[in-house]
Amino acid sequence: MVKRTPVIMIRSLKAERGGITRAAITRANAFAEKFDEVIIVTFLYQQYHKKIIADLKEKRLLSKKVKVLNFFEDTKPNIKRRGESRDTQKNLIKEKGLVEFPDKRYKEEPSYRYYENGIYIKYKRFTEDGQLKFIDYMDSNRYRIKREEFNEQGLLVRTRHMDYLCNKSRMDRYFDDAGNCYMSVWLNAETGDEERTLTFSGKPNEYKNLYKCQTMWLEKTLNNIAFPTIMCEQRTLDKMLREVKHYNIKRVSVVHANHLEKPFNNIFDIKKSYTNLFKNGNKFDKIILLTKEQKKDVEKAYKDLKNICVIPHPCEQINELAKDRHKVNCNPNLAVTLARFHKDKRLDEAIHAFKFVVNQIPEAKYYIYGYGELKKELQELIDKLNLNENVYLKDYTLNQKEVYQSAACSILTSRQEGFGMVITESMAVGTPVVSYDTKYGPKDIIEDGVDGYVVEQGNKEQLAEKIIKIMQDKKLREILSENALKVKKTFSEKKYKNSWFDLI
């Protein structure tokens, strides 16, 4: 029997793990229990890539058996620096002959503007622990000329040369540890598209665009593996996987998200990136979806597709405390949500709904854990509704179990989902979920009125009504809680692992 190597293909592994990152890591860890070699290939430039991966492994979030290859790190020549960093001087806040003024907008990451004889010439930002993050250089007209970025060792890793009109990069240069440029990428400053790419280490090469260079790198990487089964996690990478040449490859595309266009209810109105996937579906050995409802919708739209199968996300292992939910010291007046502060999560609707809850239960609390660009806007809404003593925006957390265990229920108001891992995570510790009837996930996981509630999308009063019901009725809360725990069997890790092992 052929011994295959699982390879997971994803743009990046982020420090703040979103749903796709968490799903990829969960699967990689499962494969590490079964296979001798497990590889994750990533393509995005990350200033602190090595630190991110080291932290994930140190915190035991990613198995040490899993090998992570990054395009930029793997392409970089393996030349080590000698002696002290040549950038030591740049790490100092004070510089001889320059006057610095602190940028008071950034308290967590100290930042300074530098003047030479009255002319603004550069800008520096440091991390919380005092490491130099980047330097911006200005000309005499205060136009930004370039940005230098530094890694956790204080070494220059990338220089971005700026376009005068757009104030965005028009060329990026990447550097090895010895300070030599090993790659240059031309960019369209208006669109951000990565165009002509040149590599300088070994035999110099020129590529039409970065995508072509990365495709060649992936092909070279995979040709060092006898029998790879490669799983593509994101639609921006599907084309690359289709085009890679390898005699013994198995290609798998994994769908994590809703494939429909807004408002996500017409099964024939499909996003362009998913249209490309499904029209070329026969070029993949398998297309993996997360819910039966989504599979049904896709097969209605694409009747010729015969290689679709469903492998839901698993419930994570839970601690002993969660086995008897009614014994957990939860706050009966607390609701929680773990989500990015993004418009698709419709947290504004959840906050509006909670206003109805507070009108009935003045001591009710709602904690929203996450991160994202809408934090300020959401806080302004909380202020406007006079909910400062009830609704709190909290930082992203890795302690999901403890957060869910502390609450009477969790809330999901997403506009769209691929599965909704937050539902199973909440239910796995006995915390019922009150969710909008979102495509996809809630209907596949929650049995309405038995282990949680699924309400009409946009019906904030109905959402509030169910939350109030759970908070006020202890007996109901215990019944929902006990029933919610059954999700562990329905979406067990054993079923999940066996499905993926069989597919590999």
Side-chain angles (χ1 to χ4, degrees):
M1 185 177 177
V2 169
K3 199 169 187 179
R4 290 201 160 266
T5 300
V7 181
I8 293 172
M9 186 177 175
I10 191 169
R11 280 177 57 78
S12 67
L13 295 180
K14 300 176 183 177
E16 295 174 322
R17 303 179 303 152
I20 294 178
T21 300
R22 287 166 59 197
I25 288 175
T26 296
R27 197 176 332 125
N29 289 340
F31 289 148
E33 297 175 13
K34 176 85 171 178
F35 298 90
D36 295 335
E37 186 177 35
V38 180
I39 299 169
I40 297 176
V41 290
T42 66
F43 298 84
L44 198 68
Y45 161 78
Q46 289 178 292
Q47 190 172 350
Y48 303 116
H49 170 79
K50 288 182 179 178
K51 186 177 187 302
I52 290 169
I53 303 306
D55 286 349
L56 286 171
K57 292 189 174 184
E58 187 179 331
K59 293 173 181 174
R60 298 185 179 180
L61 298 171
L62 178 64
S63 169
K64 290 185 177 180
K65 279 186 65 179
V66 177
K67 185 178 182 180
V68 180
L69 298 177
N70 173 263
F71 167 75
F72 290 97
E73 292 294 328
D74 199 54
T75 307
K76 181 192 296 185
N78 189 25
I79 302 173
K80 301 297 181 183
R81 63 182 173 130
R82 296 179 181 177
E84 290 295 317
S85 166
R86 67 191 185 288
D87 299 310
T88 300
Q89 181 64 28
K90 292 179 180 177
N91 282 275
L92 299 175
I93 292 176
K94 291 191 175 294
E95 289 193 32
K96 188 176 180 180
L98 301 183
V99 178
E100 77 279 354
F101 291 88
D103 186 343
K104 296 179 181 179
R105 296 174 299 171
Y106 301 96
K107 294 180 181 178
E108 292 183 357
E109 294 186 321
S111 304
Y112 302 87
R113 296 186 181 89
Y114 291 81
Y115 288 78
E116 183 179 46
N117 200 26
I119 296 176
Y120 178 34
I121 64 165
K122 71 170 71 170
Y123 181 92
K124 285 187 186 181
R125 181 166 299 163
F126 297 83
T127 62
E128 284 184 272
D129 57 2
Q131 288 285 324
L132 180 63
K133 191 171 184 179
F134 66 77
I135 302 175
D136 285 341
Y137 293 90
M138 316 295 174
D139 68 9
S140 58
N141 294 314
R142 292 191 303 163
Y143 281 104
R144 184 167 58 155
I145 304 167
K146 67 178 181 178
R147 168 174 288 187
E148 292 181 340
E149 298 173 350
F150 302 83
N151 65 13
E152 57 272 19
Q153 297 173 293
L155 295 173
L156 177 67
V157 285
R158 179 168 76 168
T159 295
R160 315 203 77 177
H161 298 268
M162 301 298 175
D163 183 271
Y164 265 28
L165 298 178
C166 300
N167 194 27
K168 293 181 180 178
S169 180
R170 56 184 171 81
M171 184 175 72
D172 289 341
R173 292 191 298 149
Y174 296 88
F175 296 88
D176 62 27
D177 288 357
N180 302 312
C181 175
Y182 67 89
M183 184 189 305
S184 288
V185 181
W186 296 12
L187 294 98
N188 183 316
E190 293 183 354
T191 65
D193 291 343
E194 294 150 326
E195 299 176 340
R196 184 175 299 179
T197 298
L198 304 100
T199 58
F200 305 106
S201 60
K203 183 182 177 181
N205 275 302
E206 183 176 353
Y207 303 88
K208 181 180 178 181
N209 49 42
L210 181 63
Y211 166 84
K212 186 65 178 176
C213 184
Q214 290 180 325
T215 303
M216 297 298 291
W217 170 77
L218 178 64
E219 192 168 287
K220 180 181 176 183
T221 299
L222 292 177
N223 276 297
N224 291 323
I225 304 168
F227 298 97
T229 296
I230 183 160
M231 292 146 278
C232 182
E233 310 296 313
Q234 289 159 314
R235 305 292 66 82
T236 53
L237 300 173
D238 280 335
K239 184 173 182 285
M240 188 183 296
L241 178 54
R242 292 200 309 266
E243 293 178 349
V244 162
K245 296 178 178 64
H246 193 296
Y247 288 110
N248 302 315
I249 195 172
K250 284 182 75 173
R251 296 175 173 86
V252 179
S253 184
V254 185
V255 175
H256 293 272
N258 190 309
H259 65 284
L260 304 176
E261 288 282 10
K262 294 178 184 178
F264 313 109
N265 53 18
N266 182 350
I267 66 169
F268 299 103
D269 190 8
I270 297 168
K271 295 173 184 173
K272 183 179 178 181
S273 58
Y274 288 93
T275 299
N276 292 335
L277 168 63
F278 297 135
K279 281 186 175 179
N280 292 283
N282 59 352
K283 295 180 181 177
F284 292 91
D285 293 273
K286 289 289 182 184
I287 297 174
I288 308 300
L289 303 180
L290 300 173
T291 67
K292 294 176 183 177
E293 184 185 5
Q294 189 173 21
K295 179 176 186 285
K296 184 179 177 182
D297 286 353
V298 172
E299 289 179 337
K300 279 184 180 178
Y302 295 91
K303 292 182 173 59
D304 294 333
L305 274 181
K306 305 297 182 186
N307 58 346
I308 298 177
C309 66
V310 175
I311 305 180
H313 291 314
C315 284
E316 295 182 4
Q317 295 282 354
I318 63 167
N319 56 35
E320 293 298 314
L321 189 61
K323 291 183 178 179
D324 295 304
R325 174 71 175 114
H326 61 280
K327 294 180 182 178
V328 177
N329 186 26
C330 74
N331 181 348
N333 295 319
L334 174 64
V336 297
T337 291
L338 276 70
R340 286 179 297 122
F341 301 150
H342 186 276
K343 62 181 180 180
D344 277 352
K345 301 303 179 182
R346 290 194 290 201
L347 295 170
D348 58 329
E349 295 198 20
I351 293 168
H352 274 291
F354 210 74
K355 181 68 174 178
F356 294 112
V357 176
V358 171
N359 289 341
Q360 290 287 320
I361 310 173
E363 63 273 25
K365 306 287 184 188
Y366 182 27
Y367 296 164
I368 306 173
Y369 295 82
Y371 63 95
E373 66 273 14
L374 292 185
K375 185 173 183 178
K376 183 180 178 183
E377 188 176 313
L378 293 172
Q379 186 59 56
E380 288 173 352
L381 176 61
I382 293 167
D383 297 340
K384 180 182 176 182
L385 296 175
N386 295 316
L387 290 173
N388 306 78
E389 300 298 319
N390 303 94
V391 181
Y392 297 86
L393 301 180
K394 294 181 172 284
D395 291 338
Y396 173 84
T397 180
L398 293 174
N399 300 318
Q400 295 100 328
K401 295 172 189 174
E402 290 80 358
V403 167
Y404 287 125
Q405 284 177 332
S406 69
C409 66
S410 64
I411 303 169
L412 180 67
T413 50
S414 294
R415 180 178 282 109
Q416 58 167 329
E417 289 286 345
F419 178 76
M421 282 192 290
V422 291
I423 302 175
T424 55
E425 286 173 352
S426 180
M427 293 173 68
V429 295
T431 303
V433 182
V434 183
S435 173
Y436 275 172
D437 182 12
T438 300
K439 281 184 178 288
Y440 294 97
K443 277 186 175 178
D444 272 51
I445 306 169
I446 301 168
E447 190 174 352
D448 185 50
V450 175
D451 49 25
Y453 292 102
V454 180
V455 306
E456 179 188 358
Q457 286 205 50
N459 194 329
K460 296 184 278 293
E461 291 189 22
Q462 190 181 15
L463 188 75
E465 176 193 323
K466 301 303 183 185
I467 297 167
I468 292 167
K469 200 171 181 180
I470 292 172
M471 288 182 171
Q472 290 185 330
D473 190 335
K474 182 180 179 183
K475 183 65 176 176
L476 172 67
R477 195 163 60 243
E478 289 180 351
I479 292 170
L480 294 174
S481 175
E482 186 175 344
N483 291 337
L485 288 169
K486 295 175 184 176
V487 78
K488 295 178 292 176
K489 291 183 179 178
T490 308
F491 300 96
S492 71
E493 285 195 77
K494 184 177 180 181
K495 287 181 182 177
Y496 167 83
K497 289 176 182 177
N498 288 341
S499 296
W500 275 110
F501 294 165
D502 288 347
L503 183 140
I504 297 296

